[in-house]
Amino acid sequence: MKKMSNSLSAIILGIVVTGMLFTGCKPKGAGNNAVSADAASRVYVAPGKYDEIYMFTSGGFSGQLSVYGIPSGRLFKVIPVFSVDPEKGYGFNEETKPLLQTTKGFIPWDDSHHPSLSKTDGNDDGRWLFINANNTPRIARIDLKTFKTVEILELPNTGGNHASPYCTENTEYVVGASRFSVPFDDEEMPINSFKQNFKGVVNFIKVDKEKGNMNMAFQIDVPAVDYDLARAGKGVSHGWLFFSCYNSEQANTLLEVNASQKDKDFIMAVNWKKAEEYLAAGKGVKKPANYYHNLFNEETQTARSEILKEVTTLDARALKDICYYMPCPKSPHGCDVNPTGEYIVASGKLAATIPVFSFKKMMAAIEGKQFEGEFDGISVLKYESVLAGEVEKPGLGPLHTEFDDKGFAYTSFFVSSEVVKWNVETRQIIDRIPTYYSIGHLCVVQGDSKKPFGKYLVALNKITKDRYLPTGPELCQSAQLIDISGEKMKLLLDFPTIGEPHYAQMIQADLITKNQRKVYKLEENKHPYFTPNEKAAKVTRVGNAVHVYMTAIRSHFYPDNIEGVKVGDEVYFHVTNLAQDWDVPHGFAVKGAGNSELLIMPGETQSLKWIPSRVGVYPMYCTDFCSALHQEMQGYIRVSPAGSNNPLTFHTGNKPESEKKK
Ligand code: RUQ
Ligand code: CUA
C-alpha cells in the first residue's frame, strides 16, 4: 500500500483533487487538541490489570503478526509466521524449519496482510487465526491456545495471494485469490499474452472442524484480473463470497494508468454452496499441481512437510451459476459485508461515491437474468439492479469498511485521511474524524462478524509524519484508537506498530484467555528426541552425526560438559525443558553457531543443529533469565580435530558419566 500511494497520488492529484498534497496534508484539527479530555483515563489500564481486548495486527512486509492489548495499546508479542525469528528460534530450530518450505525452496520472509479469526455461526470463536502471504502465496494458521504458527499451506497456480484469507460463516473454508493473475506454475510465455494466457484462481481451503487443519479442497478458474480483497457472506448471504477486483482492463504494464481506464471494475460474487454441488456431481477436474503443506504436530512438537501433486478445479466460465460480476466504480479495494449479510460495501479507490450492493437485489437480478453482458465468459449483472444505494460525497480514496452493532459503518479514506461513519440503511453520513496520516485499513472489535462489539475502532495508518520522535528516514507505522461508543467518534490514543499494519482483528479477551495453554505436559511429549529426566540424558554418535539428548532445569543443563565432538560433525542439541511451571522458558545458545538460539517452553523439546568448523572449547549457555542462578546456567563443548580419537563423554557435576557407571 505504501508503494501504491505514489501512483494513486499521481492519478488523484491529476484528476480529482488538484492542489492537495496528500502525503503531507495535515487534516484540520491535527494536534493534541483533537484528543478528548477524558482520553487518558479511557486508555489507562492500571498496573496489574488486563486489557479488555486483544488486537492481532499484521506485520505487512515484516511477515509477522503482532499482539496488542486494547485500550492500552501495549505490545505483548510478535508471533513469527512467514519470516524467521531468531528471538524464538523460529525457522532456525529443526522443528520449525519445515514450516517455511515451499516449492521454491526454504523462504525466510514474506509480506503478510490480513489476519482473519476463525468463526462459528458468523462470530469470532477465538480458536485460530489465519493470515496470508502475499508474495509466495500461502496461508498460515496460528493456534490461539499457544500463539504459535502451526500450519502453512502453499497455494498453487496463484500469484499474489492478497484477497485472502477470509473465513466463511463456520470456517468451512478459508479462501485466497490471485491478485497477480499468472500462467500456471512452471509455465513461461510472453508477458504481453496476458489476456489470452494468464489465469485468475480462487482457492478454497477446507478447515477441519476439530483440529483446524487446512486442506486444499478445490480451485475455481476465473478470468485474469486482479482480485484484491474479499469477505464471506453471512446470515442471509451465507454460502456466498464477494471479491473486489481491479484491472478489468487486463493490463500487464504501467497499471497505474492502464488499469484505471474503465469507469467500472467488478465485485465478483461466488456461490460456494453451488460449487460444492458441482463437485459432488463430479464436475471437478483434477489437474496436476505442485505445492507444500506444512503442519506442526503438537504431540511430536515438530513440523513436517508434504508435497501435494494435484488440485481439483471448477471452471467458472463453463459452470455459469457459480460466479457473477457486479460492476463497481473505479478500482475497488475493500469489499465488506455488514453484520446481517444483506449489504456488500465496495470501496473504489478512485470513485466519488461508495456503492452499497444488496444481496436480496442481487439474488433477484440473477433470477431475473438482469445481465448487461459478459466479461470473459462470466455474466455481468446490471449495476442498477444490484445496487441498494450509494454513499454520496463520502471523502477521497475510500479503502475499507467495518461495522458496529448499531447499524453504522465506518469507512477509511486514504487520500483525505479520515474515518467516516455512516448509516448502513440510509447511507447518510453521521460523523467524520481525521486520522494522522493516510489510513489504510481500519478495524472494529469483531467488526467483520455477526456481532460486532462497537466500543473501539483502530485506524491503521500508513504515514506518521510528525506524530512521534523521529527515528531516521523511516518513521514507525502507526495505529490510532478511536472511541465509537457514542454518536461522535473520539480519538483516544496513538501507538506505533511493528511492520506495516495492513489489517488487524480485535476480539474480546475472554474468548482467547479461556483457552490458553500454560505448559506442555512432559508425559504428553512425543518428540522423537525427548529426554524425560536427567538420567535419560545422553550423547550418541552415528557416523558424523552427534545427537545430544539434553535437559534444562533451573539452573543447569544436563549434560553441561561434552567432549569427543570433532570438526565437521553434525551436532544436534535436542534440549528438553523439564520445567512444568507457566512462564519458565529456558534459552540455549552455543558460541559460533550459524543459526540462532533456542527458546524452549516448559515441557517442550527443541533441536539446534551445529556444525563446528574449528577446533576449540565452545561455551554454551541459557539465554533467558530464568532464576537467581540463571547466569550460572552454562557449560562447554570441546571440539577436537577431525581425525581425533577422543571418546564421547558427557556429564554435569564432577563425575564423568563413564566413571559413574563403573
Ligand atoms: S490491503 S491497506 Cu492488504 Cu488495504 Cu493494505
Ligand atoms: Cu535457564 Cu536462564
Side-chain angles (χ1 to χ4, degrees), residues 171-219:
T171 320
E172 292 94 341
Y173 298 100
V174 286
V175 299
S178 302
R179 170 163 154 222
F180 312 127
S181 288
V182 281
F184 282 153
D185 289 341
D186 305 321
E187 281 181 10
E188 58 95 28
M189 55 191 63
I191 298 169
N192 66 10
S193 70
F194 184 104
K195 278 190 195 176
Q196 304 84 276
N197 292 327
F198 285 30
K199 296 174 177 71
V201 158
V202 183
N203 297 278
F204 281 78
I205 291 113
K206 187 105 202 135
V207 178
D208 182 273
K209 276 204 162 18
E210 298 306 316
K211 294 187 172 156
N213 294 3
M214 299 187 284
N215 252 306
M216 178 65 70
F218 61 97
Q219 290 184 325

Side-chain angles (χ1 to χ4, degrees), residues 45-58:
V45 178
K49 293 278 183 265
Y50 288 167
D51 280 284
E52 189 182 0
I53 306 287
Y54 277 103
M55 181 169 90
F56 297 95
T57 311
S58 85

